[in-house]
Amino acid sequence: MPRQSAGILLFRGRGPDLEVLLVHPGGPLWARKDAGAWTIPKGEFTDDEDPLAAARREFAEETGHSLAGPFHPLTPIRQRAGKLVHAWACRGDVDPGALRSNTFEMEWPPRSGRRQSFPEVDRAAYFSLAAARAKINPAQVALLDELARLPAALDPHAT
């Protein structure tokens, strides 16, 4: 079974003013990467876990914000390394400046024997769909395209 992750594509606005929230991976390996490095808040889940529950948990862990929904399922995508990503679109507006991410530990610098802790996500920002296409992991562009076609993304009063 390929690895799977679940995430939420948070959006605000409508039509040409539609914006999406993307997060940038933390840690020294991502520090100097920008274009193609950003992602929706997401994380892996096990076969016995509900994917939407995992997506909501991961969003909260990576941003410090909880979402109530409603959640619109998007077509799963496969990333270059083979991971299957399940995603849901959700209308909302959180403050990216109030980001509070969980952390991970790794040996850094390499072969130093020292372990350091880094945030899983080091920043978050809203982007227009055009800007998001340049920032997001290329496999996730399909999620942006599908969001742009959702009636809920066009109607600010949609539920």
Side-chain angles (χ1 to χ4, degrees), residues 98-119:
L99 177 76
R100 288 185 327 275
S101 176
N102 56 341
T103 59
F104 69 96
E105 235 183 53
M106 66 182 284
E107 181 181 18
W108 192 258
R111 297 178 294 285
S112 68
R114 292 183 32 224
R115 298 202 56 83
Q116 292 190 46
S117 183
F118 300 96

Side-chain angles (χ1 to χ4, degrees), residues 45-78:
F45 67 95
T46 59
D47 288 338
D48 62 343
E49 187 175 11
D50 175 65
L52 178 55
R56 293 178 73 184
R57 180 196 72 238
E58 289 293 330
F59 189 92
E61 287 178 359
E62 293 185 357
T63 68
H65 299 284
S66 295
L67 299 173
F71 301 97
H72 307 277
L74 301 172
T75 304
I77 56 108
R78 190 165 304 279

Side-chain angles (χ1 to χ4, degrees), residues 23-153:
V23 296
H24 185 271
L29 302 178
W30 294 97
R32 292 195 169 104
K33 296 181 172 130
D34 189 57
W38 293 70
T39 182
I40 65 170
K42 64 175 180 45
E44 291 189 11
F45 67 95
T46 59
D47 288 338
D48 62 343
E49 187 175 11
D50 175 65
L52 178 55
R56 293 178 73 184
R57 180 196 72 238
E58 289 293 330
F59 189 92
E61 287 178 359
E62 293 185 357
T63 68
H65 299 284
S66 295
L67 299 173
F71 301 97
H72 307 277
L74 301 172
T75 304
I77 56 108
R78 190 165 304 279
Q79 296 191 153
R80 196 173 85 199
K83 184 186 290 185
L84 185 64
V85 178
H86 302 268
W88 286 262
C90 179
R91 179 179 293 282
D93 193 359
V94 300
D95 179 3
L99 177 76
R100 288 185 327 275
S101 176
N102 56 341
T103 59
F104 69 96
E105 235 183 53
M106 66 182 284
E107 181 181 18
W108 192 258
R111 297 178 294 285
S112 68
R114 292 183 32 224
R115 298 202 56 83
Q116 292 190 46
S117 183
F118 300 96
E120 193 168 329
V121 167
D122 61 13
R123 61 190 180 272
Y126 281 98
F127 296 98
S128 69
L129 286 180
R133 282 184 178 90
K135 296 281 188 185
I136 201 167
N137 175 315
Q140 294 178 24
V141 169
L143 300 174
L144 301 176
D145 293 341
E146 187 172 353
L147 173 66
R149 294 188 303 267
L150 274 181

